[in-house]
Amino acid sequence: MSGSGNLGELSIEEASRLLAARQLSSRELTEACLQRIEETEPKVGSFLEVTADLARQQADEADRRLATPGDAAPLTGIPIALKDIFLTKGVRTTCASRILENFTPAFDATVVARLRRAGAVLLGKVNMDEFAMGSSCENSSMKLTRNPWKLDRVPGGSSGGSAACVAAHQALGSFGTDTGGSIRLPAAFCGVAGIKPTYGRVSRYGVIAFASSLDQVGPMATTTRGAAMLLAAVAGKDPLDSTSIDAPVPDYAGLVGPRPEVKDLRVGIPREYFVEGLDADVETAVRAAIGKLQDLGATIVEVTLPHTQYAVAAYYIVATAEASSNLGRYDGVRYGRRRGEEQGLREMYGETRDQGFGAEVKRRIMLGTYVLSAGYYEAYYSKAMRVRTLIRRDFEQAFAGCDVIATPTAPVTAFEIGSRTDDPLKMYLSDILTISVNLAGLPGMSIPCGLDSAGLPIGLQLIGKPLDELTVLRAAAAYEDSGHWQRTSAELRA
Ligand code: GLN
């Protein structure tokens, strides 16, 4: 390390060790991140709000806990950032939407409360696609976030700020949400580790809802073990979220251990995920990563997920239907900034929603309302729900013959800013390899597995059985320990 400017490059597990040994203070680490944010924000643009005062206060409090034996948790003193979809008491929460631009929550999301209790330091709220609808972060109504690896590229979405801030070493870790790939896709594009846990693994109380049967919270970090530590701090039953699962939370990072083995694992490769449209560099890197798992002793088996081709269509019906209902509350009365010189209630709703929502959000509300309307419900929504069942069954059958499934996270690497904004369908196709996992409610992770010819990160996706995040993390850590790991963007180092 050559000075405090590089402290932000520490992994969470390294920083946690140094903090516990009192070789580093949280204040020092936090100041390094704040300095890094100041230096790199003009280029990257991850943050919607930097909570510097709060961070310093929490860092000092963490240092007091770290000085008292037995008082600290593994995350005590670790600086992190949160997607602006998590309600944070007293800290503005916009979901990157104009309609919530003046919204300051009166309470914390359960995830936030758990992180505060663990002693994590909140650096701020980061950018996203408005209401988490998008694959590139370009649907934010607030600002543009750039990919730290190459500033003319998107960071991926919707949790683009969460991935960019970790890749740029502005924060050691972050949290995002994943409804159709929104943790895994940006993690892949920005070369960081990101895990979407099993549906219900993490509480969504206080997380602004997009599509409630799909939404799930998860962490990002530069390393698998870092992500595992973040996950362990927030996972588990929450009485305030009836969809959260009452199952014990393993000590993920501890159980992954210093030398994870994959010799007992059967890794399934679904042929439907290696089809046309898959970038050649991506295919080469992912196949090489699978080869690496085999070298490490895993058994590679071919599996089939025959309904994969219907996933994008089914998802964009289910997700928009649920969104059209969830977004009804932003009407200028219950939530949302009221607009216009209204003449009456109808006009007030109309004005508020017309001015408050961006184009993609409006498109989704219209699509969702259409697929749920009388006469079309059977043809669209109900059919999509049946397809969803078939997709879930595909995975059940595949997992009869393997323990974890490996695929590319995305068919391409980070694309150029502006290159897909005019064509919603093309944008939706970015999610083709991540969406089935949400429809089936499974845990899925993306870890970096190399670079393409333009020097952009490529993601390896690992999919697990329900509640089996540990096997996913173990396979990821074993792969990561084997070598192929790029941690710092050349462009930002320069
Ligand atoms: N890109 C997908 C969408 O736009 C997924 C978003 C998400 O996971 N939040 O709906």
Side-chain angles (χ1 to χ4, degrees), residues 227-437:
M229 288 171 69
L230 292 174
L231 179 59
V234 301
K237 178 70 185 167
D238 173 13
L240 298 172
D241 175 359
S242 61
T243 65
S244 66
I245 296 172
D246 196 1
V249 179
D251 165 17
Y252 294 115
L255 287 168
V256 161
R259 262 184 247 293
E261 286 281 348
V262 292
K263 289 198 174 72
D264 59 326
L265 290 189
R266 292 162 303 166
V267 180
I269 315 300
R271 73 175 82 97
E272 295 82 359
Y273 280 63
F274 293 85
V275 285
E276 53 162 302
L278 184 63
D279 179 88
D281 288 349
V282 172
E283 173 155 13
T284 307
V286 170
R287 289 208 187 273
I290 293 165
K292 186 56 110 182
L293 288 169
Q294 190 169 24
D295 293 346
L296 295 171
T299 308
I300 308 298
V301 295
E302 191 171 310
V303 295
T304 172
L305 298 168
H307 296 93
T308 299
Q309 58 178 312
Y310 306 113
V312 173
Y315 168 87
Y316 277 92
I317 290 171
V318 174
T320 56
E322 294 183 16
S324 71
S325 160
N326 273 327
L327 270 59
R329 71 191 63 161
Y330 306 103
D331 56 9
V333 180
R334 287 172 292 173
Y335 289 95
R337 184 174 177 191
R338 196 177 291 186
R339 298 287 184 135
E341 298 288 311
E342 315 80 29
Q343 305 299 311
L345 193 63
R346 269 179 180 280
E347 288 90 321
M348 191 278 291
Y349 285 160
E351 285 272 290
T352 297
R353 289 166 70 83
D354 184 40
Q355 293 178 34
F357 291 138
E360 182 61 26
V361 175
K362 287 179 188 162
R363 184 179 297 122
R364 305 275 179 119
I365 292 171
M366 286 191 282
L367 256 172
T369 308
Y370 178 78
V371 299
L372 286 176
S373 59
Y376 295 104
Y377 183 93
E378 275 299 315
Y380 296 109
Y381 186 73
S382 169
K383 196 184 245 175
M385 291 303 277
R386 289 199 293 275
V387 171
R388 183 173 187 176
T389 303
L390 295 174
I391 287 173
R392 188 180 304 125
R393 279 197 203 134
D394 279 358
F395 279 106
E396 276 165 19
Q397 276 156 17
F399 278 122
C402 67
D403 307 293
V404 65
I405 290 175
T407 77
T409 306
V412 294
T413 54
F415 43 86
E416 276 173 33
I417 291 168
S419 63
R420 292 189 178 203
T421 36
D422 294 339
D423 186 348
L425 198 58
K426 204 164 170 198
M427 191 68 93
Y428 298 168
L429 288 172
S430 315
D431 309 327
I432 195 160
L433 305 178
T434 48
I435 266 173
S436 299
V437 171

Side-chain angles (χ1 to χ4, degrees), residues 84-99:
D84 208 22
I85 199 168
F86 295 98
L87 300 195
T88 40
K89 187 177 176 179
V91 178
R92 200 166 72 115
T93 301
T94 67
C95 228
S97 182
R98 289 285 156 215
I99 210 158

Side-chain angles (χ1 to χ4, degrees), residues 83 132-135 157-158 177-182 210 315-316 364 431:
K83 185 177 185 177
M133 297 173 185
S135 311
S158 64
T177 55
D178 190 314
T179 304
S182 280
F210 163 13
Y315 168 87
Y316 277 92
R364 305 275 179 119
D431 309 327

